[in-house]
Amino acid sequence: MAYYYQNPGADRVGPIDEVSFFAHANAGAIFPNAQVWREGEEAWQVWANVASAWMNGEASVPAVAEEEDEGGAGEDGLISADVGMDSFFGNAWEIFKRHWGKFILSGMLTGGLVMLAEGGNAWVDSRERAGDALPDGVVFGVAAVSFVFSVISGVFGFGYLKITRKEDAGAEVRLGDIFPLGRCLRKMFKFLGAGLIYMLIVIPIYLLMVLPMIEPLALSLVGNAEPGLAEIFVALAAFFSGFALLTWLMLRLLFVFMFVFDTDCGVFGAFKASWRITRNRFWRTFGYGVLTYLIFVFGVLFTLGFGAILLMPLAGIWFIVYYIKLCKNCEYDIPESRLTGTPD
């Protein structure tokens, strides 16, 4: 029977046989908060919780001082349940350090795809502004390629989630995890269904409350406004009310697609789960989102664009770590991740 264990902040040990595993345990090499797994188990577990059962009740494991986890993890994995800013960035940085090569490679590939897509769209726009009539096939082709590149970039984004989830559970992380295309294809219809429902919720608010107010507000800003002061005030109130409602809804539904990818729940289950974990956490979520965006934008500007290779995966990991923390803190039943478990 093969055994594995992984102490916090250390490399995984295994596979080793039963005799060697318990020899390590008796020598104090396996910390109480280590993640352990053996053949036949459904998931990784904390050694302190299963030591007596695995050793048939024999009190042969000596008491050892529990090693403090640099990432702030407790018995629930590498990522702690604390949603404070220090633990938030600390856990994310710990994940990044463990797999910085994979994340930077992913960031380079994602950044390259985004630049190619934006370059194609910019080329079409410049030709149209110059009065050059491009064939419909060329315009459609550029748009199709840009869409495909955007989808591929999204797959790399889910790779951040897969690596972070597996690292939190002590499961083995492989290079192929940076691009989980197979899982995304299996979830394709769920993604399409979730996207359709999301648009049906968001687009009507935009069309009814935000878009109709843009023109009168724009006219008032350039000094050509025909409506009076009262009409402008009503337009402003409607615009900001619609914008606030959209922001609130988008933050409450921020993790829908993560749940679709991360768990086996259905489309409506993903919406329900995202709604639950963000309950009473609007301002915290909004603040972390704004902070992450500002760090990314100013970091890219100060490094003349080259910082995107580092900051793009870091921003993605921060976002995912916050999602995992919210799942651990939620008082409701949240679907369990299906990205972790026994080693292959």
Side-chain angles (χ1 to χ4, degrees), residues 176-319:
D177 291 334
I178 69 174
F179 191 68
L181 180 61
R183 186 174 183 86
C184 287
L185 290 175
R186 291 194 298 271
K187 300 277 187 173
M188 180 177 60
F189 291 106
K190 287 187 177 181
F191 282 132
L192 293 175
L196 178 61
I197 295 175
Y198 188 89
M199 289 189 294
L200 291 175
I201 294 173
V202 170
I203 290 180
I205 298 174
Y206 178 77
L207 294 178
L208 295 175
M209 299 185 66
V210 178
L211 186 62
M213 303 300 128
I214 293 179
E215 183 176 356
L217 291 177
L219 291 175
S220 65
L221 289 174
V222 298
N224 298 323
E226 297 180 1
L229 184 61
E231 287 81 359
I232 295 176
F233 177 79
V234 172
L236 279 171
F239 176 82
F240 285 108
S241 297
F243 186 78
L245 179 59
L246 271 179
T247 302
W248 180 75
L249 279 173
M250 292 172 70
L251 287 179
R252 294 299 303 272
L253 304 177
L254 187 63
F255 303 107
V256 169
F257 296 98
M258 281 196 177
F259 275 111
V260 171
F261 179 84
D262 187 30
T263 71
D264 289 336
C265 65
V267 173
F268 292 104
F271 277 87
K272 185 178 180 181
S274 180
W275 194 265
R276 284 179 168 180
I277 68 172
T278 55
R279 182 185 179 187
N280 300 325
R281 295 184 174 94
F282 171 80
W283 289 113
R284 182 185 294 273
T285 306
F286 180 78
Y288 281 160
V290 171
L291 179 61
T292 302
Y293 176 77
L294 292 177
I295 292 175
F296 178 78
V297 170
F298 283 103
V300 171
L301 290 176
F302 287 138
T303 58
L304 302 178
F306 293 100
I309 297 174
L310 172 65
L311 291 173
M312 186 178 296
L314 261 178
I317 299 168
W318 291 337
F319 179 59

Side-chain angles (χ1 to χ4, degrees), residues 7-18:
N7 290 320
D11 294 332
R12 178 178 299 115
V13 178
I16 57 178
D17 58 32
E18 184 176 8

